[in-house]
């Protein structure tokens, strides 16, 4: 075996010798031709030195490449136990931050869903006070929504359904508003008298930064539009409370209407500022709308008179009373007993002289009594109470 090894070595050496034979080199130094020789051993030595140098260079390049890869994070460099613990703590902290982000995003969406549902329910049912609700929902962050996409998916479906419901609720509220406006206009009253003062708003324009943000803004505008419609409707219905709509007596009959008539004492043409409603002495007289008693006293041709200020520039007067049952500056409610029928003042017999005044001017009371059913329903909805029943002895012709 050793002989074979020695023979192989001898053959390898002989092959190397064939590569490293003496070589002659000739070069020109600018003036003369020069010739020199390099022996085989010298060539072998130089080749060995070059090989060793090349190996060291390759090793250095390999080490540099490994370091660069480790720094880039493609391949993790060996870490100490302390570094590994720190790395794990950082990952746990990042996970906890993501969980907290998901919780806050879900809470913001849930709060918004609750607020919007309360608004829709209030508008549809006609119950609730716009001042008790708010549209200032927690800020929804688009980045947080992306992190919590899976958790928020069911809530976003609910929000989409709510947007569709908000559109229908706003249309229903607009119809109720238009119908109430029509009835109020029939009375010669401008609905603007009851309109709320619109809140001022403005600011520089900044476009939405994403399609999701733009869609969210459109949905928010739907609910703001619904809220403003409801607020407008509620203000009108609250204002309708000031409109005289109930009957001042249990049974209505008229012996004299509003407008020019023959004066019962002089027989000449004269303006009659109200209507005369006959009845037995002592017939109960009721307030036709909520208000404050401005006057409860003897007043010239009216005899004993009660004047009620209903707000919004609307007043009612009740004249020729036999007895006044309310005091000045006290609050009364629609259907409340305020006096008894009589024949005091400039009167030919027991009856009630009833007036409706707007901004100090007398208007025809008949339309207010003819639209009573609708206005009473609106007032009951606004007051959240049932209609007050009235009674008393039957009125005679």
């Amino acid at each position: 075996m050793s002989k074979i090894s020695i023979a192989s070595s001898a053959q390898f050496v002989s092959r190397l010798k064939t590569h490293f034979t003496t070589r002659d080199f000739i070069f020109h130094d600018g003036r003369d031709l020069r010739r020199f020789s390099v022996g085989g051993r010298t060539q072998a030595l130089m080749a060995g030195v070059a090989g060793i140098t090349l190996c060291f260079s390759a090793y250095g390049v390999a080490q540099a490449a490994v370091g660069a890869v480790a720094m880039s994070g493609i391949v993790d460099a060996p870490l100490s136990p302390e570094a590994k613990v720190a790395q794990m703590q950082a990952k746990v902290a990042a996970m906890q931050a993501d969980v907290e982000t998901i919780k806050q995003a879900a809470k913001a969406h849930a709060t918004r869903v609750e607020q919007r549902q309360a608004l829709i329910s209030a508008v549809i049912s006609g119950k609730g006070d716009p001042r008790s609700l708010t549209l200032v929902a927690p800020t929804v962050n688009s980045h947080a929504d992306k992190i919590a996409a899976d958790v928020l998916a069911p809530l976003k479906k609910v929000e989409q359904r709510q947007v569709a419901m908000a559109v229908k609720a706003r249309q229903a509220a607009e119809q109720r508003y238009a119908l109430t406006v029509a009835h109020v206009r029939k009375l010669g009253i401008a609905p603007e008298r009851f309109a709320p003062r619109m809140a001022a708003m403005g600011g520089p324009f900044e476009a939405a930064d994403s399609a999701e943000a733009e869609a969210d803004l459109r949905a928010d505008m739907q609910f703001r539009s619904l809220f403003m419609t409801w607020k407008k409707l509620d203000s009108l219905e609250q204002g309708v409370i000031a409109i005289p709509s109930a009957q001042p007596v249990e049974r209505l009959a008229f012996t004299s209407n509003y407008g020019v008539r023959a004066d019962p004492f002089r027989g000449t043409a004269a303006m009659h500022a109200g209507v005369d409603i006959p009845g037995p002495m002592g017939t109960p007289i009721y307030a036709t709308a909520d208000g404050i008693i401005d006057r409860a006293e003897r007043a010239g041709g009216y005899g004993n008179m009660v004047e009620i200020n209903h707000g919004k520039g609307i007043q009612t007067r009740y004249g020729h009373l036999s007895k006044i049952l309310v005091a000045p500056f006290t609050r009364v409610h629609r259907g409340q007993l305020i006096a008894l029928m009589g024949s005091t003042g400039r009167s030919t017999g027991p009856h009630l002289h009833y007036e409706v005044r707007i901004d100090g001017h007398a208007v025809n009371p008949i339309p207010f009594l003819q639209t009573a059913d609708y206005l009473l329903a609106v007032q009951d909805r606004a007051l959240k109470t049932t209609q007050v029943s009235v009674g008393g002895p039957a009125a005679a012709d």
Side-chain angles (χ1 to χ4, degrees), residues 13 28 61 86-87 101 104 108 112 161 170 181 194 205-206 223 234 243 257 321 325 329 332 339 362 379 393:
V13 171
H28 194 277
V61 171
Q87 190 180 62
T101 299
Q104 292 301 323
R112 189 165 68 176
R161 291 197 295 269
R170 183 173 61 83
V181 164
F194 311 111
F205 172 76
E206 291 186 16
F223 282 94
D234 184 75
I243 298 178
N257 291 322
L321 307 173
L325 303 177
F329 313 116
V332 293
Q379 291 172 351

Side-chain angles (χ1 to χ4, degrees), residues 261 264-265 276 281 298 300-304 319-321 341-353:
R261 67 170 184 176
F265 290 95
D276 289 340
M281 187 72 70
R298 187 90 179 182
Y302 287 98
N304 293 330
H320 308 311
L321 307 173
M341 188 180 293
S343 185
T344 57
R346 199 167 181 269
S347 170
T348 60
H351 74 283
L352 168 68
H353 175 83

Side-chain angles (χ1 to χ4, degrees), residues 70-112:
M71 290 179 64
S72 66
I74 298 175
V75 177
D76 292 334
L79 299 176
S80 65
E82 292 80 5
K84 289 181 179 179
V85 171
Q87 190 180 62
M88 291 177 64
Q89 289 176 341
K91 290 181 179 180
V92 171
M95 291 174 63
Q96 289 176 337
D98 285 346
V99 170
E100 184 61 27
T101 299
I102 292 171
K103 286 171 59 179
Q104 292 301 323
K107 182 178 179 181
H109 279 270
T111 300
R112 189 165 68 176

